[in-house]
Amino acid sequence: RDPARPERRNAARSALAWLAAEETPSAGLVLDTLLTLATDERDTDVRVLAASALGESRNPEARQALERALVDPEPNVAAAAADGLGVLGDARAVEALTSAVERASFWVQVAAVVSLGRLRDPRALPALTRASTNPLLSAAAAAALADIADPAGMPALRPLIERGNPVRVTALAAAARILAANPEVSPPEWLRESLQGEEAELDARFRESGDGAAAHLLGITGSEEAAALLADALSSPYAAEATAGLVALPPEVASTVLTERIMDAPSEIRTAILTVLPPLRDAEAVARVVSCLSEPDAETQAAVVELLARSDEQILMPQLLRALNDPSLRGVAVRVMGRLSDARCAPLASLLTDPDANVRKAAAEGLSRCATMDIREQIAVALRKEPDRAAQHALVSALGTAGGEDAVRELVPLLEYAEPSLRFAVLQALGRTGSEAALPPLIEALGDPTPEIQAAALHALGELGDPRAAAPLAERLTDSDRDIRRTAAFALRDLAPSAATEHLLRALDDPAWSVRSAAVRTLAIIGAREAVPRLRELAASDADPLVRSTAAAALRELTAGTDAGGGG
């Protein structure tokens, strides 16, 4: 209440906002004080400051007071309340803010529009669409639609973009943000058409300041000119923005223009081009990329593998099979084949006897992603004969992927004599077999004196998903090693919730914060609503701040949508 010293008033507001935060001991008392000041104080400036503090507190209990302040007869107070609701971030305020956009005075409307954007809730889209038709609110509405980033907001931007509206640049930037946040959504044809002929202007804006929205819009134009301009920009300081623009190109344009540049581009530019190319559907484009398999740079090689693995398998396989006959291409070709679908994976089994250990390893690594029971015996035979350590590890993993009881019988003997790193790989593979026969050896491995082996067995039991493992996993929640306790808590999340919940609730009393935090996250993952009372206790009073915040996040997840009347 000190009008003579503004800086003192602002400092008091900030301090009260902090003291009113949900996790502070003083929250109840200070919140009550701010609620009274925001609604009953005669001094307008004090009401404004109190409304701001309530928003800055981020305390959900402040929402209803701020909603009442939205109808304050003093516009500055109502605008501060609208702004505070946006800062508060409680999506339950959408309805009140929507009402303010429809009925309040201008400055309150502006603040409400901005806050609806901050809440990022699609329920605000109808109100923002109506606000976009108001010339005084259209710029703020476009920016709010960008904040929400829901593709359903695109139609509201169309009239602002197509009619040469004064807020066209803002609306275009909003459209770019929405599409960037939803890469699975193709740019609408009306947007491409409205940008035709603007490549030079967009490129100039992009190169002048690295404007990411301009680069994205350049890609949305969909022209070969735009593709060339963005490809040239990959060697500029704004390569990241250019990459985002290239991703927005129509697939056929990107494939045509960019694959022509691959061979002549420097290594780092080649890698960037390979990364942004869409899945290839054209034999000529595939051939250009396959020719890069011999690229010595590891990063470029990885980009080649990733791109080819996403491309048309029917076009790709004949070229990969030819590449197997070239010693300089064979190893990487095998890596690509290992990323293909199960049906295309079978030829890899014939390469498990290749004289080159690197090829055998690459083939086994591929099979570790796609092996089926049909080729399990071939993998087992290769494992018995394999002298190379790295290839052994990959074959063990492939056998786990193939799965079944026969795979378990092949893997278990290795636990007796294999060196530690291979035993670790065997335990991981047993967890992936999906066979009941893997349960006894994994439980037995929990008694190994090596903590790393115990942890691997815990992970594998969780992945195996057999509810009978709940009891031995729960026993590890009292282990003297806190890392073992934490690993056990995470492993329990993959079992039946009814088998895991009771044990995880006990782990909430563990003396190690990391174990409590792991138990909290796991309870949220398995949807254990019976844990809500204990999680409320942890969120309010656990000694560790990270556990408190983790418990609060778990509560939000477990109670989402269960308090429609406003409790949350």
Side-chain angles (χ1 to χ4, degrees), residues 192-485:
R192 291 196 192 280
E193 291 175 359
S194 70
L195 290 168
Q196 286 179 357
E198 296 188 23
E199 288 90 346
E201 179 185 339
L202 289 168
D203 182 56
R205 195 193 317 164
F206 164 48
R207 289 179 181 272
E208 181 180 337
S209 61
D211 183 346
H216 201 130
L217 292 168
L218 192 56
I220 289 172
T221 65
S223 68
E224 292 191 2
E225 178 188 355
L229 290 169
L230 288 165
D232 290 341
L234 288 172
S235 57
S236 76
Y238 306 123
E241 291 79 5
T243 298
L246 287 166
V247 171
L249 288 166
E252 63 279 5
V253 174
S255 180
T256 300
V257 175
L258 298 181
T259 55
E260 291 176 354
R261 292 176 169 242
I262 287 177
M263 296 311 299
D264 297 329
S267 180
E268 66 276 8
I269 302 302
R270 190 180 306 164
T271 302
I273 290 174
L274 289 164
T275 301
V276 301
L277 272 169
L280 304 177
R281 305 281 183 257
D282 173 77
E284 187 177 348
V286 169
R288 290 193 186 114
V289 175
V290 168
S291 68
C292 297
L293 286 173
S294 58
E295 169 65 50
D297 179 73
E299 192 174 349
T300 303
Q301 201 176 86
V304 172
V305 171
E306 173 62 29
L307 173 59
L308 291 176
R310 290 187 284 114
S311 298
D312 188 305
E313 294 184 8
Q314 207 160 11
I315 296 173
L316 177 62
M317 277 303 292
Q319 300 200 41
L320 287 178
L321 292 173
R322 284 195 294 272
L324 292 176
N325 297 319
D326 185 337
S328 67
L329 302 180
R330 187 191 297 129
V332 187
V334 171
R335 286 175 57 194
V336 177
M337 292 172 71
R339 299 288 300 277
L340 303 181
S341 64
D342 291 359
R344 303 288 183 179
C345 187
L348 291 174
S350 64
L351 298 169
L352 296 177
T353 57
D354 193 276
D356 186 334
N358 288 326
V359 171
R360 298 197 303 273
K361 172 177 174 287
E365 286 176 342
L367 290 170
S368 71
R369 299 185 186 93
C370 62
T372 61
M373 290 188 183
D374 298 340
I375 54 177
R376 181 175 56 204
E377 183 58 26
Q378 285 178 269
I379 299 170
V381 171
L383 177 58
R384 293 176 210 141
K385 298 177 179 179
E386 181 57 63
D388 183 79
R389 181 79 52 85
Q392 286 176 355
H393 281 244
L395 285 164
V396 162
S397 180
L399 202 51
T401 302
E405 189 173 342
D406 288 343
V408 174
R409 277 197 293 269
E410 198 72 35
L411 291 167
V412 167
L414 296 176
L415 293 173
E416 298 297 325
Y417 63 85
E419 46 84 25
S421 65
L422 187 57
R423 289 169 64 210
F424 189 94
V426 168
L427 291 169
Q428 289 180 313
L430 285 170
R432 291 203 304 276
T433 59
S435 171
E436 293 182 356
L439 184 63
L442 287 174
I443 291 177
E444 184 179 347
L446 292 177
D448 193 280
T450 309
E452 291 77 13
I453 295 297
Q454 293 179 39
L458 288 168
H459 277 296
L461 283 167
E463 190 169 6
L464 190 65
D466 191 321
R468 292 175 295 171
L473 284 173
E475 289 176 13
R476 294 293 160 169
L477 292 173
T478 59
D479 194 276
S480 59
D481 186 326
R482 69 178 182 184
D483 291 330
I484 293 295
R485 300 199 303 272

Side-chain angles (χ1 to χ4, degrees), residues 22-218:
E22 190 175 14
E23 64 273 12
T24 61
S26 58
L29 173 64
V30 179
L31 194 63
D32 287 344
T33 301
L34 288 172
L35 296 176
T36 301
L37 290 174
T39 54
D40 298 337
E41 179 71 22
R42 289 186 178 183
D43 187 330
T44 298
D45 291 337
V46 173
R47 297 205 303 279
V48 168
L49 290 165
S52 296
L54 285 169
E56 290 173 17
S57 74
R58 310 271 181 170
N59 190 326
E61 297 299 323
R63 175 182 57 86
Q64 291 180 332
L66 286 171
E67 289 181 356
R68 288 197 299 272
L70 270 179
V71 296
D72 192 291
E74 174 54 53
N76 286 342
V77 177
D83 182 69
L85 286 167
V87 175
L88 189 67
D90 189 331
R92 291 175 297 173
V94 166
E95 185 177 349
L97 286 168
T98 296
S99 178
V101 171
E102 305 286 357
R103 301 182 181 86
S105 59
F106 171 68
W107 289 113
V108 181
Q109 287 180 309
V110 172
V113 165
V114 171
S115 286
L116 285 172
R118 285 175 172 170
L119 295 183
R120 292 174 168 77
D121 192 310
R123 290 178 298 162
L125 292 178
L128 292 174
T129 298
R130 290 189 291 272
S132 70
T133 64
N134 183 335
L136 298 177
L137 297 175
S138 56
L145 290 167
D147 287 336
I148 294 174
D150 189 310
M154 289 290 289
L157 298 172
R158 182 172 182 174
L160 303 181
I161 291 170
E162 289 186 332
R163 297 176 190 167
N165 195 293
V167 298
R168 185 173 191 268
V169 172
T170 302
L172 281 170
R177 278 186 61 189
I178 292 172
L179 292 169
N182 300 276
E184 74 285 356
V185 175
S186 298
E189 196 56 38
W190 61 261
L191 181 57
R192 291 196 192 280
E193 291 175 359
S194 70
L195 290 168
Q196 286 179 357
E198 296 188 23
E199 288 90 346
E201 179 185 339
L202 289 168
D203 182 56
R205 195 193 317 164
F206 164 48
R207 289 179 181 272
E208 181 180 337
S209 61
D211 183 346
H216 201 130
L217 292 168
L218 192 56

